[in-house]
Amino acid sequence: MGQYLVYGKRTEAIYNTDTHKYMGPDSSFRAINEKGERVTKLDDAFSFATKEDAQDFLNAHKPKQGVVFEIRKVK
């Protein structure tokens, strides 16, 4: 049985309030962790047992304008 990961990317520049700089846009999707941050290792990504669980997570966390998410099944 596989697991599901949420992938995201910025389609326009987003202002980072921590660093006070603009980030993005990104050229490709990357898996995200439970904080919504893009990660480079799949082991650091937030995984879900079902696609419905992943969709519930996305529904509970409204993305910023210019951010796109998708749900992917991994082995």
Coordinates of all heavy atoms in Angstrom, one line a residue:
M1 N 0.8 -1.2 0.0 CA 0.0 0.0 0.0 C 0.9 1.2 0.0 O 1.9 1.3 0.7 CB -0.9 0.0 1.2 CG -1.8 1.1 1.3 SD -2.9 1.0 2.7 CE -4.5 1.1 1.9
G2 N 0.6 2.2 -0.8 CA 1.4 3.4 -0.9 C 0.9 4.5 0.1 O 0.0 4.3 0.8
Q3 N 1.7 5.5 0.1 CA 1.3 6.7 0.9 C 1.2 7.9 0.0 O 1.7 7.9 -1.2 CB 2.4 6.9 2.0 CG 3.8 7.2 1.4 CD 4.8 7.3 2.5 OE1 4.5 7.2 3.7 NE2 6.0 7.6 2.2
Y4 N 0.6 9.0 0.5 CA 0.4 10.2 -0.3 C 1.2 11.3 0.3 O 1.3 11.5 1.5 CB -1.1 10.5 -0.3 CG -1.9 9.5 -1.1 CD1 -2.3 8.3 -0.5 CD2 -2.1 9.7 -2.4 CE1 -3.1 7.4 -1.2 CE2 -2.9 8.7 -3.2 CZ -3.3 7.6 -2.5 OH -4.0 6.7 -3.2
L5 N 1.8 12.1 -0.6 CA 2.5 13.3 -0.2 C 1.8 14.5 -0.8 O 1.3 14.4 -1.9 CB 3.9 13.2 -0.6 CG 4.8 12.1 0.0 CD1 6.2 12.1 -0.6 CD2 4.8 12.2 1.5
V6 N 1.9 15.7 -0.2 CA 1.5 16.9 -0.8 C 2.7 17.6 -1.3 O 3.7 17.8 -0.7 CB 0.8 17.8 0.3 CG1 0.4 19.2 -0.3 CG2 -0.5 17.1 0.8
Y7 N 2.6 18.0 -2.6 CA 3.7 18.8 -3.3 C 3.2 20.2 -3.5 O 2.0 20.4 -3.7 CB 4.0 18.1 -4.6 CG 4.8 16.9 -4.5 CD1 4.3 15.7 -4.0 CD2 6.2 16.9 -4.9 CE1 5.1 14.6 -3.9 CE2 6.9 15.8 -4.8 CZ 6.4 14.6 -4.3 OH 7.2 13.5 -4.2
G8 N 4.1 21.1 -3.5 CA 3.7 22.5 -3.7 C 4.8 23.3 -4.4 O 6.0 22.9 -4.5
K9 N 4.4 24.4 -5.0 CA 5.3 25.4 -5.6 C 4.7 26.7 -5.7 O 3.5 26.9 -5.6 CB 5.8 24.9 -7.0 CG 4.8 25.2 -8.1 CD 5.4 24.8 -9.5 CE 4.6 25.3 -10.6 NZ 5.3 25.0 -11.9
R10 N 5.6 27.7 -5.7 CA 5.1 29.1 -5.8 C 5.1 29.5 -7.3 O 6.0 29.3 -8.0 CB 6.1 30.0 -5.0 CG 6.1 29.8 -3.5 CD 7.2 30.6 -2.9 NE 8.5 30.1 -3.2 CZ 9.3 29.4 -2.3 NH1 8.9 29.2 -1.1 NH2 10.5 29.0 -2.7
T11 N 4.0 30.0 -7.7 CA 3.8 30.5 -9.1 C 4.1 31.9 -9.3 O 4.2 32.4 -10.4 CB 2.4 30.2 -9.7 OG1 1.5 30.8 -8.9 CG2 2.2 28.7 -9.6
E12 N 4.3 32.7 -8.2 CA 4.7 34.1 -8.2 C 5.5 34.4 -7.0 O 5.5 33.6 -6.0 CB 3.4 35.0 -8.3 CG 2.4 34.8 -7.2 CD 1.2 35.6 -7.4 OE1 0.5 35.3 -8.4 OE2 0.9 36.4 -6.5
A13 N 6.1 35.5 -6.9 CA 7.0 35.8 -5.8 C 6.1 36.0 -4.5 O 5.1 36.6 -4.6 CB 7.8 37.1 -6.1
I14 N 6.6 35.4 -3.4 CA 5.9 35.5 -2.1 C 6.9 36.2 -1.2 O 8.1 35.9 -1.1 CB 5.6 34.1 -1.6 CG1 4.8 33.3 -2.6 CG2 4.9 34.2 -0.2 CD1 3.4 33.8 -2.8
Y15 N 6.4 37.1 -0.4 CA 7.2 37.9 0.6 C 7.3 37.0 1.9 O 6.3 36.6 2.5 CB 6.5 39.2 1.0 CG 7.4 40.1 1.9 CD1 8.5 40.7 1.4 CD2 7.0 40.2 3.2 CE1 9.3 41.4 2.3 CE2 7.8 41.0 4.1 CZ 9.0 41.6 3.6 OH 9.7 42.4 4.4
N16 N 8.6 36.7 2.3 CA 8.9 36.0 3.5 C 9.0 36.9 4.6 O 9.9 37.8 4.7 CB 10.1 35.2 3.3 CG 10.5 34.3 4.5 OD1 10.1 34.5 5.6 ND2 11.2 33.2 4.2
T17 N 8.1 36.8 5.6 CA 8.1 37.8 6.7 C 9.3 37.5 7.7 O 9.6 38.4 8.5 CB 6.8 37.7 7.5 OG1 6.5 36.4 7.9 CG2 5.6 38.2 6.6
D18 N 9.8 36.3 7.7 CA 11.0 36.0 8.5 C 12.3 36.6 8.0 O 13.0 37.2 8.8 CB 11.2 34.5 8.7 CG 10.0 33.8 9.4 OD1 9.4 34.5 10.2 OD2 9.7 32.6 9.1
T19 N 12.5 36.5 6.7 CA 13.8 37.0 6.1 C 13.6 38.4 5.5 O 14.6 39.0 5.1 CB 14.3 36.1 5.1 OG1 13.3 36.0 4.0 CG2 14.5 34.7 5.6
H20 N 12.4 38.8 5.4 CA 12.0 40.1 4.8 C 12.5 40.2 3.3 O 13.0 41.3 2.9 CB 12.6 41.3 5.6 CG 12.1 41.3 7.0 ND1 10.8 41.5 7.3 CD2 12.7 41.0 8.2 CE1 10.6 41.4 8.6 NE2 11.8 41.1 9.2
K21 N 12.4 39.1 2.6 CA 12.8 39.0 1.2 C 11.7 38.3 0.4 O 10.9 37.6 1.0 CB 14.1 38.3 1.0 CG 15.3 38.9 1.7 CD 16.6 38.1 1.5 CE 17.8 38.8 2.1 NZ 19.0 38.1 1.9
Y22 N 11.7 38.5 -0.9 CA 10.8 37.8 -1.7 C 11.4 36.5 -2.1 O 12.6 36.3 -2.4 CB 10.5 38.6 -3.0 CG 9.5 39.7 -2.7 CD1 9.9 41.0 -2.4 CD2 8.1 39.5 -2.7 CE1 9.0 42.0 -2.1 CE2 7.2 40.5 -2.4 CZ 7.7 41.7 -2.1 OH 6.8 42.7 -1.8
M23 N 10.5 35.4 -2.2 CA 10.9 34.1 -2.6 C 10.1 33.6 -3.8 O 8.9 34.0 -3.9 CB 10.7 33.1 -1.5 CG 11.4 33.4 -0.2 SD 11.1 32.3 1.2 CE 9.5 31.8 1.0
G24 N 10.7 32.9 -4.7 CA 10.0 32.3 -5.8 C 10.0 33.2 -7.0 O 10.6 34.3 -7.0
P25 N 9.3 32.9 -8.1 CA 8.6 31.6 -8.2 C 9.5 30.4 -8.4 O 10.6 30.6 -8.7 CB 7.7 31.9 -9.5 CG 8.5 32.9 -10.3 CD 9.3 33.7 -9.2
D26 N 8.9 29.2 -8.2 CA 9.7 28.0 -8.2 C 9.5 27.4 -9.6 O 8.4 27.5 -10.2 CB 9.2 27.0 -7.2 CG 9.4 27.6 -5.8 OD1 10.4 28.2 -5.5 OD2 8.4 27.4 -5.0
S27 N 10.5 26.7 -10.1 CA 10.4 26.0 -11.4 C 9.8 24.6 -11.3 O 9.3 24.1 -12.3 CB 11.8 25.9 -12.0 OG 12.6 25.2 -11.2
S28 N 9.8 24.0 -10.1 CA 9.2 22.7 -10.0 C 8.5 22.5 -8.7 O 8.8 23.2 -7.7 CB 10.3 21.6 -10.2 OG 11.3 21.8 -9.1
F29 N 7.7 21.4 -8.6 CA 7.0 21.0 -7.4 C 8.0 20.3 -6.5 O 8.9 19.6 -6.9 CB 5.9 20.1 -7.6 CG 4.6 20.8 -8.1 CD1 4.4 21.0 -9.5 CD2 3.7 21.2 -7.2 CE1 3.3 21.6 -9.9 CE2 2.5 21.9 -7.7 CZ 2.3 22.1 -9.0
R30 N 7.8 20.5 -5.1 CA 8.6 19.7 -4.1 C 7.6 19.3 -3.0 O 6.7 20.0 -2.8 CB 9.7 20.5 -3.5 CG 10.9 20.7 -4.4 CD 12.1 20.9 -3.6 NE 13.3 21.1 -4.5 CZ 14.3 21.8 -4.2 NH1 14.4 22.5 -3.1 NH2 15.3 21.9 -5.1
A31 N 8.0 18.2 -2.4 CA 7.2 17.7 -1.3 C 7.2 18.7 -0.1 O 8.2 19.4 0.0 CB 7.6 16.4 -0.8
I32 N 6.2 18.8 0.7 CA 6.2 19.8 1.8 C 6.1 19.0 3.1 O 5.6 17.9 3.2 CB 5.0 20.8 1.7 CG1 3.7 20.1 1.7 CG2 5.1 21.6 0.4 CD1 2.5 21.0 1.9
N33 N 6.5 19.7 4.2 CA 6.4 19.1 5.5 C 5.2 19.6 6.2 O 4.4 20.3 5.5 CB 7.7 19.4 6.3 CG 7.9 20.9 6.6 OD1 7.0 21.7 6.4 ND2 9.1 21.2 7.0
E34 N 5.0 19.3 7.5 CA 3.7 19.6 8.1 C 3.6 21.1 8.3 O 2.5 21.6 8.6 CB 3.6 18.9 9.5 CG 4.7 19.2 10.5 CD 6.0 18.4 10.3 OE1 6.0 17.5 9.4 OE2 6.9 18.6 11.1
K35 N 4.7 21.9 8.2 CA 4.6 23.4 8.3 C 4.3 24.0 7.0 O 4.2 25.2 6.9 CB 5.9 23.9 8.9 CG 6.2 23.4 10.3 CD 7.6 24.0 10.7 CE 8.0 23.5 12.0 NZ 9.3 23.9 12.4
G36 N 4.3 23.2 5.9 CA 4.1 23.8 4.6 C 5.3 24.2 3.9 O 5.3 24.9 2.8
E37 N 6.5 23.9 4.4 CA 7.8 24.2 3.8 C 8.2 23.2 2.8 O 8.0 22.0 3.1 CB 8.8 24.4 4.9 CG 8.5 25.4 6.0 CD 9.4 25.3 7.2 OE1 9.9 24.2 7.5 OE2 9.5 26.3 7.9
R38 N 8.8 23.6 1.7 CA 9.3 22.6 0.7 C 10.5 21.9 1.3 O 11.4 22.5 1.9 CB 9.6 23.4 -0.5 CG 8.4 23.9 -1.3 CD 8.7 25.0 -2.3 NE 9.9 24.8 -3.1 CZ 9.9 24.4 -4.3 NH1 8.8 24.1 -5.0 NH2 11.1 24.3 -5.0
V39 N 10.6 20.6 1.1 CA 11.7 19.8 1.6 C 12.5 19.2 0.4 O 11.9 18.9 -0.7 CB 11.3 18.8 2.6 CG1 10.7 19.4 3.8 CG2 10.3 17.8 2.0
T40 N 13.7 18.8 0.6 CA 14.5 18.2 -0.5 C 14.5 16.7 -0.3 O 14.7 16.0 -1.3 CB 16.0 18.7 -0.5 OG1 16.5 18.5 0.8 CG2 16.0 20.2 -0.8
K41 N 14.3 16.2 0.9 CA 14.3 14.7 1.1 C 12.8 14.3 1.4 O 12.1 14.9 2.2 CB 15.1 14.3 2.3 CG 16.6 14.7 2.2 CD 17.3 14.3 3.5 CE 18.7 14.7 3.5 NZ 19.3 14.4 4.8
L42 N 12.4 13.2 0.7 CA 11.1 12.7 0.9 C 10.9 12.2 2.3 O 9.7 12.2 2.8 CB 10.8 11.6 -0.1 CG 10.6 12.0 -1.5 CD1 10.2 10.8 -2.4 CD2 9.6 13.1 -1.7
D43 N 11.9 11.8 3.0 CA 11.8 11.3 4.4 C 11.4 12.5 5.3 O 10.8 12.2 6.4 CB 13.2 10.8 4.9 CG 13.5 9.5 4.3 OD1 12.6 8.8 3.7 OD2 14.7 9.2 4.2
D44 N 11.6 13.7 4.9 CA 11.3 14.9 5.7 C 9.8 15.4 5.4 O 9.3 16.3 6.1 CB 12.2 16.0 5.5 CG 13.6 15.7 6.0 OD1 13.8 14.8 6.9 OD2 14.6 16.3 5.5
A45 N 9.2 14.8 4.4 CA 7.9 15.3 3.9 C 6.8 14.7 4.9 O 7.0 13.6 5.5 CB 7.6 14.8 2.5
F46 N 5.7 15.3 4.9 CA 4.5 14.9 5.7 C 3.7 13.9 4.9 O 3.2 14.3 3.8 CB 3.7 16.1 6.1 CG 2.8 15.9 7.2 CD1 3.1 15.3 8.4 CD2 1.5 16.4 7.1 CE1 2.3 15.1 9.4 CE2 0.6 16.3 8.2 CZ 1.0 15.6 9.3
S47 N 3.6 12.7 5.3 CA 2.9 11.7 4.5 C 1.5 11.4 5.1 O 1.3 11.6 6.3 CB 3.7 10.4 4.4 OG 3.9 9.8 5.7
F48 N 0.6 10.9 4.2 CA -0.7 10.6 4.6 C -1.1 9.2 4.1 O -0.5 8.7 3.1 CB -1.7 11.6 3.9 CG -1.5 13.0 4.3 CD1 -0.6 13.8 3.6 CD2 -2.1 13.5 5.4 CE1 -0.4 15.1 3.9 CE2 -1.9 14.8 5.8 CZ -1.0 15.6 5.0
A49 N -1.9 8.5 4.8 CA -2.3 7.1 4.5 C -3.2 7.1 3.3 O -3.1 6.1 2.5 CB -2.9 6.4 5.7
T50 N -4.1 8.0 3.2 CA -5.1 8.1 2.1 C -5.0 9.4 1.4 O -4.6 10.4 2.0 CB -6.5 7.8 2.6 OG1 -6.9 8.8 3.4 CG2 -6.6 6.4 3.3
K51 N -5.5 9.4 0.2 CA -5.7 10.7 -0.6 C -6.6 11.7 0.1 O -6.5 12.9 0.1 CB -6.1 10.4 -2.0 CG -6.0 11.6 -2.9 CD -6.3 11.2 -4.3 CE -6.1 12.5 -5.2 NZ -6.2 12.1 -6.6
E52 N -7.7 11.1 0.7 CA -8.7 11.9 1.4 C -8.0 12.6 2.6 O -8.4 13.8 2.9 CB -9.9 11.0 1.9 CG -10.7 10.5 0.7 CD -10.1 9.4 0.0 OE1 -9.2 8.7 0.5 OE2 -10.5 9.2 -1.2
D53 N -7.1 11.9 3.3 CA -6.4 12.6 4.5 C -5.6 13.8 4.0 O -5.6 14.8 4.6 CB -5.5 11.6 5.2 CG -6.3 10.5 5.9 OD1 -7.5 10.7 6.2 OD2 -5.7 9.5 6.2
A54 N -4.9 13.6 2.9 CA -4.1 14.7 2.3 C -5.0 15.8 1.9 O -4.7 17.0 2.1 CB -3.3 14.1 1.1
Q55 N -6.2 15.5 1.3 CA -7.1 16.6 0.9 C -7.6 17.3 2.1 O -7.8 18.5 2.0 CB -8.2 16.0 0.0 CG -9.1 17.0 -0.6 CD -8.3 18.0 -1.6 OE1 -7.6 17.5 -2.5 NE2 -8.4 19.3 -1.4
D56 N -7.9 16.6 3.1 CA -8.4 17.2 4.4 C -7.4 18.2 4.9 O -7.7 19.3 5.4 CB -8.8 16.2 5.4 CG -10.0 15.4 5.1 OD1 -10.8 15.9 4.2 OD2 -10.2 14.3 5.7
F57 N -6.1 17.8 4.9 CA -5.0 18.7 5.3 C -5.0 20.0 4.5 O -4.8 21.1 5.0 CB -3.7 17.9 5.2 CG -2.5 18.8 5.5 CD1 -2.1 19.0 6.8 CD2 -1.7 19.3 4.5 CE1 -1.0 19.8 7.1 CE2 -0.6 20.1 4.7 CZ -0.2 20.3 6.1
L58 N -5.1 19.8 3.2 CA -5.1 21.0 2.3 C -6.3 21.9 2.6 O -6.2 23.1 2.5 CB -5.1 20.6 0.8 CG -3.7 20.0 0.3 CD1 -3.9 19.6 -1.1 CD2 -2.6 21.0 0.5
N59 N -7.5 21.3 2.8 CA -8.7 22.1 3.1 C -8.6 22.8 4.4 O -9.1 23.9 4.5 CB -9.9 21.2 3.1 CG -10.2 20.6 1.7 OD1 -9.8 21.1 0.7 ND2 -11.0 19.5 1.7
A60 N -7.8 22.3 5.3 CA -7.7 22.9 6.6 C -6.7 24.1 6.6 O -6.7 24.9 7.5 CB -7.3 21.9 7.7
H61 N -5.8 24.1 5.6 CA -4.7 25.1 5.6 C -4.8 25.9 4.3 O -4.5 25.4 3.2 CB -3.3 24.4 5.6 CG -3.1 23.7 6.9 ND1 -3.5 22.4 7.1 CD2 -2.5 24.1 8.1 CE1 -3.2 22.0 8.3 NE2 -2.6 23.0 8.9
K62 N -5.4 27.1 4.4 CA -5.6 27.9 3.2 C -4.2 28.4 2.7 O -3.5 29.0 3.4 CB -6.5 29.1 3.5 CG -6.8 29.9 2.3 CD -7.7 31.0 2.6 CE -8.0 31.8 1.4 NZ -8.7 33.0 1.6
P63 N -3.9 28.1 1.4 CA -2.6 28.6 0.9 C -2.6 30.1 0.6 O -3.6 30.7 0.4 CB -2.5 27.7 -0.4 CG -3.9 27.5 -0.8 CD -4.7 27.4 0.4
K64 N -1.4 30.6 0.5 CA -1.3 32.0 0.1 C -1.5 32.1 -1.4 O -1.4 31.1 -2.1 CB 0.2 32.5 0.4 CG 0.5 32.6 1.8 CD 1.9 33.1 2.0 CE 2.3 33.2 3.5 NZ 3.7 33.7 3.6
Q65 N -1.9 33.3 -1.8 CA -2.1 33.5 -3.2 C -0.8 33.3 -4.0 O 0.3 33.7 -3.5 CB -2.6 35.0 -3.5 CG -2.9 35.2 -4.9 CD -3.4 36.6 -5.1 OE1 -3.7 37.3 -4.2 NE2 -3.5 37.0 -6.4
G66 N -0.9 32.6 -5.1 CA 0.3 32.3 -5.9 C 1.0 31.0 -5.5 O 2.1 30.7 -6.0
V67 N 0.4 30.2 -4.6 CA 0.9 28.9 -4.2 C 0.0 27.8 -4.7 O -1.2 27.9 -4.6 CB 1.1 28.8 -2.7 CG1 1.6 27.4 -2.3 CG2 2.0 29.9 -2.2
V68 N 0.5 26.8 -5.4 CA -0.3 25.7 -5.9 C 0.2 24.4 -5.3 O 1.4 24.1 -5.1 CB 0.0 25.6 -7.5 CG1 -0.8 24.4 -8.1 CG2 -0.4 26.9 -8.1
F69 N -0.8 23.5 -4.9 CA -0.5 22.2 -4.3 C -1.1 21.1 -5.2 O -2.1 21.3 -5.9 CB -1.1 22.1 -2.9 CG -0.5 23.0 -1.9 CD1 -1.2 24.1 -1.4 CD2 0.7 22.8 -1.4 CE1 -0.7 25.0 -0.5 CE2 1.3 23.6 -0.5 CZ 0.6 24.7 0.0
E70 N -0.5 19.9 -5.1 CA -1.0 18.7 -5.7 C -0.7 17.6 -4.8 O 0.3 17.6 -4.0 CB -0.6 18.5 -7.1 CG 0.9 18.3 -7.3 CD 1.3 18.1 -8.8 OE1 0.7 18.8 -9.6 OE2 2.1 17.3 -9.0
I71 N -1.5 16.5 -4.9 CA -1.3 15.3 -4.1 C -0.8 14.2 -5.0 O -1.4 14.0 -6.1 CB -2.7 14.9 -3.4 CG1 -3.2 16.0 -2.5 CG2 -2.5 13.6 -2.7 CD1 -4.6 15.8 -2.0
R72 N 0.3 13.6 -4.5 CA 0.9 12.5 -5.3 C 1.0 11.2 -4.5 O 1.3 11.3 -3.3 CB 2.2 12.9 -5.8 CG 2.2 14.1 -6.8 CD 3.6 14.3 -7.3 NE 3.7 15.5 -8.1 CZ 4.8 16.1 -8.6 NH1 6.0 15.4 -8.3 NH2 4.8 17.2 -9.3
K73 N 0.8 10.1 -5.2 CA 1.0 8.8 -4.5 C 2.4 8.4 -4.7 O 3.0 8.4 -5.8 CB 0.0 7.8 -5.1 CG 0.1 6.4 -4.4 CD -0.9 5.5 -4.9 CE -0.9 4.2 -4.1 NZ -1.9 3.2 -4.6
V74 N 3.1 7.9 -3.6 CA 4.4 7.4 -3.7 C 4.4 6.0 -3.1 O 3.5 5.6 -2.4 CB 5.4 8.3 -2.9 CG1 5.5 9.7 -3.6 CG2 5.0 8.5 -1.5
K75 N 5.5 5.2 -3.4 CA 5.6 3.9 -2.9 C 6.0 3.8 -1.5 O 6.5 4.6 -0.9 CB 6.6 3.1 -3.8 CG 6.1 3.0 -5.2 CD 7.2 2.2 -6.0 CE 6.7 2.1 -7.5 NZ 7.6 1.4 -8.3

